[in-house]
Amino acid sequence: MTAASARRRTLRTAADLLDAGLIPPDTAEAVERVARSYAVALTPAVTDLIDPADPLDPIARQYVPSAEELVTAPEDLADPIGDAAYSPVKGLVHRYPDRVLLTPLLVCPVYCRFCFRRARVGDADATMGEAEIDGALAYVAERPDIREVILTGGDPLMLPAARLEALLGRIGAITHVDLIRIHSRVPVSDPGRVTARLAGVLGGPGKAVWLAVHVNHSRELSPQAAAALSRLAGAGIPLLSQTVLLKGVNDRAEVLEELFRALVRHRVRPYYLHHPDLAPGTGHFRLTIAEGRALMRRLRGRLSGIAQPTYVLDIPGGAGKVPVGPDYWDEEAAAVTDPAGVRHGYPPD
């Protein structure tokens, strides 16, 4: 098989990656060991973005397994954001009073090497059955404080359009739910799935559906991804983005600036910049929070407000997300720091 033909199908094994020219032969054994613990999948849309000749390719770093994943740091956690402790019924996480996460399936078109659910995703048997969906939605229906249902996984846009439409309809029928949010990599990793039919399902009548697209580098916004985003925006679906701050991928201010500018051009509002979670085998992706704060400070004043995400940390153990971006206001001194780093008293003398 030629490298070109290997790249036209989803790559799932070390042999596949070797055939496609994405890993050197001397790493195949280590990559196969990684694949035994953590799911691997690269769609043709993703492999087309990778430059095999570039050992620092930011797309490859996100999706191609490496021996670094076999190293577990002392601070790594099997459940880094505390899903298990807040899961009252299968497939549902209730961490905040007004919203719940629903994971109808745990499969994705691609598997990110930094994923905080990396030990669970890829399990096709974890797809929720009808009885389990019934139980989760009954839980929501019985709690009027729940105003938002967030579909995540896995990737909810891997569901057949008809099944997704039925699920959205059932959630929308719960009177106290105001909106449905969907988190997905599909528009950038498998944009061909974003058909007119799917866009129509998401933008159809009923409760408002917001879509949070996971994208970490401007190169992921290929012409095909741009077309998928256009179909979604054209169907009236509000688009947000989530980005993970990753060493070797987007840990420079100019790279983040290019990404956020590209997103707003495609009618996607940058929403969160996540500090990476303490998932096992992902320490090689992590910067310090101080480094992340410095990057965000450099972006302030260079980007308009609609292109500025909130830099957040998901506190281990399930305590929730909090902003950890740079501070500009000094309460004690009654002074504010401008984007250039100059302090000003407020009100002025």
Side-chain angles (χ1 to χ4, degrees), residues 151 155-166 168 182 184-188 190-205 209 211 228-229 231-237 239:
L151 300 184
D155 197 310
L157 296 192
M158 293 287 283
L159 290 170
R163 185 169 181 213
L164 181 60
E165 184 174 35
L168 295 178
I182 298 175
S184 179
R185 266 290 215 180
V186 160
V188 297
D190 199 6
R193 286 183 178 271
V194 183
T195 61
R197 162 80 166 122
L198 178 61
V201 165
L202 299 180
V209 173
L211 180 64
L229 294 172
R231 279 191 289 275
L232 294 165
I237 301 155
L239 300 177

Side-chain angles (χ1 to χ4, degrees), residues 224-279:
Q224 294 77 19
L229 294 172
S230 180
R231 279 191 289 275
L232 294 165
I237 301 155
L239 300 177
L240 305 169
S241 75
Q242 294 210 122
T243 296
V244 183
L245 182 59
L246 299 167
K247 186 181 293 185
V249 174
N250 56 20
D251 55 341
R252 292 183 292 129
E254 55 269 28
V255 174
L256 290 173
E257 179 180 355
E258 184 178 3
L259 169 61
F260 300 144
R261 288 191 186 280
L263 285 166
V264 295
R265 285 198 302 271
H266 292 300
R267 294 182 281 179
V268 181
R269 168 70 163 91
Y271 174 42
Y272 277 156
L273 176 66
H274 286 271
H275 192 76
D277 297 308
L278 299 175

Side-chain angles (χ1 to χ4, degrees), residues 71-105:
V71 178
T72 301
E75 66 271 19
D76 289 351
L77 299 170
D79 184 11
I81 66 169
D83 276 353
Y86 292 86
S87 183
V89 297
K90 182 178 177 179
L92 185 138
V93 177
H94 191 184
R95 185 179 294 113
Y96 302 99
D98 71 327
R99 54 202 182 276
V100 295
L101 300 178
L102 183 63
T103 56
L105 76 174

Side-chain angles (χ1 to χ4, degrees), residues 1-28 31 40-67 69 110-111 113 219:
M1 178 184 300
T2 66
S5 61
R7 284 168 163 253
R8 300 323 306 159
R9 57 190 177 85
T10 294
L11 310 179
R12 299 186 181 277
T13 66
D16 290 341
L17 295 168
L18 190 60
D19 287 342
L22 297 182
I23 60 172
D26 61 353
T27 67
V31 168
V40 174
L42 287 79
T43 58
V46 163
T47 57
D48 285 348
L49 300 175
I50 296 173
D51 178 1
D54 181 3
L56 302 177
D57 184 271
I59 310 301
R61 184 162 171 80
Q62 293 184 65
Y63 297 106
V64 177
S66 75
E69 297 177 51
V110 293
Y111 294 104
R113 309 321 307 163
R219 272 181 42 205

